[in-house]
Amino acid sequence: MPRKLLLPYKSVSSHFRAPRGLHDSVAMNAARSGYRVFSANSTAACTELAKRITERLGAELGKSVVYQESNGETRVVIEESVRGQDIFIIQTIPRDVNTAVMELLIMAYALKTSCARNIIGVIPYFPYSKQSKMRKRGSIVCKLLASMLAKAGLTHIITMDLHQKEIQGFFSFPVDNLRASPFLLQYIQEEIPDYRNAIIVAKSPDAAKRAQSYAERLRLGLAVIHGEAQCPEQDMDDGRHSPPMVKNATVHPGLELPLMMAKEKPPITVVGDVGGRIAIIVDDIIDDVESFVAAAEILKERGAYKIFVMATHGLLSADAPRLIEESPIDEVVVTNTVPHEVQKLQCPKIKTVDISLILSEAIRRIHNGESMAYLFRNITVDD
C-alpha cells in the first residue's frame, strides 16, 4: 500500500488581534526549503521577537550559535546548509548596541561565505539612527553602519520607523521602512475607553508632523509643546560653548559677514487646549524620558486629566522606569522592536504592543516576490 504524503503544517494562534484588513489567516507555510530565519542575538531575552515571527511563519529558527569569547570577541557558527537560500536575520538591539552590531555583521558575512542567495536583515530598530546628520567635526555614523552592512553581505533590510526617513538613502540596496502606527492607533481605539475626548500632543515642534498624522486619522485635536523649562543655571559657563570664541580672530580685510543671531527658546508653552482632555504624546523613540516627564508635568498643569505616551521604540535607558513611575504619566505604550521586559518589571505603567505580524508578513512577501504595497496602504510621506 503506497504511503500517503503529508505536507507539513503548523497551526499558529495569534497573540493579538491584527489591525483591520491584516489577518493571520494569510497562508504562510514556511516549511518550504527556499528560505531560513536566523536570530543573530546571543542574549536569550532578545530572541523573543524572532520566536514570535517564526511561529507566525510556521517555521523554526535556523540552527546557529552566537556567543562571546572570553576575550570579548564575537563568534558565530552556522550549523546547517544555507546554500542557494533566502536568509532572514532577525536582530533586535539590546542595551549593548555595539555587540549587537558586530553579531549582525559577523553572521551576515558567515552566511555570505556559506553561499546564501540573498541575505535580508530584519532590524526593527536601526541603531545609530540618531547620528544621521553632520554636527560640527563629528561624523554621520549611520551612513558608516549602512556601508558596513553592505560590505558584510546584506542585500536588503526590513526596518521600522526610521528616526529620519532620509536614512534610506545611505544604503546601496533596498530598504523597507515599515510603520508601527496602525498597531498604536488600534491600541488607542481599543484600550483607551474615552479616546474621543483625547488630544494628540507633540512634545516639540519637530514631532508635530507625526502627531498631526495621528490626529487626522483619529479625527482628534492637536496640541504642540514649544520652548523649554527655564533654569537659573542655564547661563552658567558649563562647557557647552567650548572651545571658547576667539576674540581676536583673523579676518580678511574688507570682509564683513552678517552676524547670525543666536537661538533662544522661549519659556515652555502649550499651543492648544488640553484642559479636561486625555493627552496622548506620540513620538518614534523613548530613550531618556526627562523630556517626556517635563511635557507630562506641563500638560497636567494645563488641566489634562490623563496622560499617555506612545512610541515605536522603547529604549528606556538609564533611570527611565523609575522616572516614569514617579511622573504624572499614566501609561507608556511601546512596541516590541526593542526588548524591555526588565523595564516592565520595574514599572507597571509600561505596556507592549506586538508588531511581529507585520514583520512576518514582510518576510513572506519578500521571499515570494510579492508586492509590499499592501503593508504601506494609506501611508503618506509625513507618516
Side-chain angles (χ1 to χ4, degrees), residues 323-365:
L323 294 174
I324 292 170
E325 187 66 25
E326 297 172 355
S327 74
I329 298 172
D330 292 281
E331 199 167 280
V332 173
V333 183
V334 294
T335 71
N336 55 346
T337 56
V338 178
H340 52 265
E341 293 304 317
V342 174
Q343 290 90 328
K344 286 179 70 175
L345 294 174
Q346 297 171 345
C347 178
K349 291 182 179 180
I350 301 172
K351 308 297 181 183
T352 305
V353 175
D354 183 18
I355 43 79
S356 60
L357 174 62
I358 193 170
L359 294 174
S360 60
E361 178 65 7
I363 290 173
R364 189 191 69 81
R365 286 175 177 267

Side-chain angles (χ1 to χ4, degrees), residues 212-223:
Q212 181 181 357
S213 174
Y214 275 70
E216 290 176 352
R217 294 178 190 283
L218 293 169
R219 279 56 171 176
L220 298 175
L222 175 67

Side-chain angles (χ1 to χ4, degrees), residues 68-121:
Q68 312 302 318
E69 298 273 15
S70 57
N71 62 359
E73 293 182 356
T74 299
R75 185 175 291 273
V76 175
V77 180
I78 308 298
E79 297 186 327
E80 61 181 287
S81 174
V82 296
R83 183 178 295 273
Q85 298 189 43
D86 292 336
I87 305 300
F88 295 85
I89 308 174
I90 300 173
Q91 180 67 320
T92 52
I93 306 298
R95 290 191 176 186
D96 190 355
V97 177
N98 295 328
T99 297
V101 169
M102 285 305 300
E103 290 171 345
L104 177 60
L105 291 170
I106 294 172
M107 177 169 276
Y109 190 67
L111 293 166
K112 177 183 177 182
T113 54
S114 297
C115 299
R117 182 175 62 177
N118 293 306
I119 304 171
I120 300 96

